[in-house]
Amino acid sequence: MEEPAGPAWVKSDRQLRREAELRGRARRSISIATASTVLVAVLLVILVTSSPGWPRVRETFFDFGQLAESFPDVLRGFLLNVKIFVIAEPIILVLGLVVALVRGLRSPVFFPLRALAVFYTDVFRGIPTILLIYLVGFGIPALQLQGAPNDPVTLGIIALVLSYGAYVAEVFRSGIESVHPSQRSAARSLALSHGQTMRYVVVPQAVRRVVPPLLNDFASLQKDSALVALLGPLEALRQSSIHAASSFNYTPYLCAAALFIALTVPMARFTDHLAARAARRQMGAGHV
């Protein structure tokens, strides 16, 4: 025989008043934030459009005729930027993780590999990306090695991989070192080898912790893919330069900038979302 259900829980009048007050505060905060944002935007527009040089700036950077004429070519070049990013990103992830794992090897027999990994991260983080693109893009073809790539897009991807691989390796290494040593000790007590411990225990935790900084690096990679234009490929920046040089108008540059913004802003917001979620998880774990 089933027992009769207890009385339904009902919020008290005090709790209802408190919730209504909180909703009222939230609405007031949203209203104030919206009004202040609109006011600042209007003031900025007035300040810019009333400046003495605004007519010249509008003619040079906001010519919609030039925008319509250059947009197809700039978009076609931007798709090449996206292709470069899509090819380079997974290679960078693999290279960075391998270098980070090699730096974590403790056996004396692996000292040459550890030294090579340290040398790689120190050197390629110290070289500016634009300089590295010059060195790889013009240095490798000059060596005239059998089978060496000569395609400027391929050479640009190699330079970006070498540069960003060093940064991503340090991100992975910091994530691996952030895993508490007790995790390794517990895994070894279960008779897991070093490789199994890293594969099943340490690396999965480290990867989850470093996703936000990795996404920040990849947002930078999206923008730095424009540096490959230095080697000659007709990507977005190069297409913009061609149109700007022929028309003496810089609207195509603004068009390219808008395309890059449309790609990087969603990733930035997604990064913020992941960072906030990770913070909530840590706070929740701290209260357990």
Side-chain angles (χ1 to χ4, degrees):
M1 183 176 179
E2 295 182 358
E3 296 182 0
W9 177 75
V10 179
K11 295 181 180 179
S12 65
D13 293 339
R14 181 178 180 181
Q15 184 173 358
L16 291 174
R17 288 195 301 271
R18 178 172 177 79
E19 290 179 355
E21 182 182 355
L22 291 175
R23 287 193 297 268
R25 289 180 181 178
R27 286 193 295 268
R28 286 194 298 271
S29 298
I30 294 174
S31 300
I32 294 173
T34 303
S36 62
T37 302
V38 171
L39 178 61
V40 170
V42 170
L43 291 176
L44 286 176
V45 170
I46 294 175
L47 178 64
V48 172
T49 56
S50 62
S51 60
W54 167 245
R56 179 60 177 168
V57 171
R58 181 179 58 189
E59 178 184 353
T60 306
F61 288 93
F62 297 95
D63 188 330
F64 290 100
Q66 289 294 328
L67 176 64
E69 180 181 347
S70 63
F71 181 76
D73 290 335
V74 175
L75 179 61
R76 191 181 309 113
F78 181 71
L79 294 178
L80 178 58
N81 288 101
V82 175
K83 177 183 177 181
I84 292 172
F85 167 75
V86 170
I87 294 175
E89 179 179 359
I91 302 175
I92 291 170
L93 281 173
V94 174
L95 176 62
L97 182 57
V98 169
V99 172
L101 292 175
V102 168
R103 292 196 63 174
L105 298 175
R106 293 291 178 257
S107 176
V109 72
F110 294 116
F111 175 78
L113 292 179
R114 290 201 306 272
L116 182 61
V118 172
F119 175 80
Y120 165 72
T121 55
D122 288 348
V123 170
F124 285 95
R125 281 192 304 159
I127 301 177
T129 304
I130 186 172
L131 179 57
L132 187 59
I133 288 177
Y134 275 122
L135 293 175
V136 173
F138 297 111
I140 291 181
L143 294 175
Q144 299 182 355
L145 298 175
Q146 184 68 27
N150 291 315
D151 177 47
V153 174
T154 303
L155 294 170
I157 292 174
I158 292 173
L160 291 174
V161 168
L162 290 175
S163 179
Y164 276 86
Y167 291 102
V168 170
E170 288 300 286
V171 172
F172 275 127
R173 188 167 73 95
S174 64
I176 291 172
E177 292 181 351
S178 70
V179 177
H180 199 274
S182 62
Q183 299 285 323
R184 294 181 177 85
S185 301
R188 300 307 293 270
S189 68
L190 296 175
L192 295 181
S193 65
H194 174 77
Q196 292 173 326
T197 300
M198 297 299 294
R199 178 180 178 183
Y200 296 111
V201 179
V202 177
V203 172
Q205 297 183 63
V207 169
R208 285 196 298 270
R209 297 181 181 186
V210 300
V211 166
L214 282 179
L215 290 177
N216 282 328
D217 284 339
F218 289 140
S220 298
L221 175 63
Q222 290 174 354
K223 296 178 293 182
D224 283 349
S225 64
L227 296 176
V228 179
L230 298 171
L231 303 180
L234 295 177
E235 48 75 68
L237 179 59
R238 178 64 65 180
Q239 293 282 13
S240 302
S241 301
I242 293 173
H243 280 274
S246 62
S247 63
F248 299 99
N249 188 282
Y250 298 128
T251 304
Y253 287 121
L254 195 64
C255 177
L259 290 174
F260 279 103
I261 290 173
L263 186 63
T264 55
V265 168
M267 178 169 286
R269 298 287 71 78
F270 183 60
T271 302
D272 293 341
H273 167 71
L274 291 179
R277 189 175 67 175
R280 288 194 298 269
R281 283 182 177 178
Q282 291 180 0
M283 292 178 62
H287 288 87
V288 175

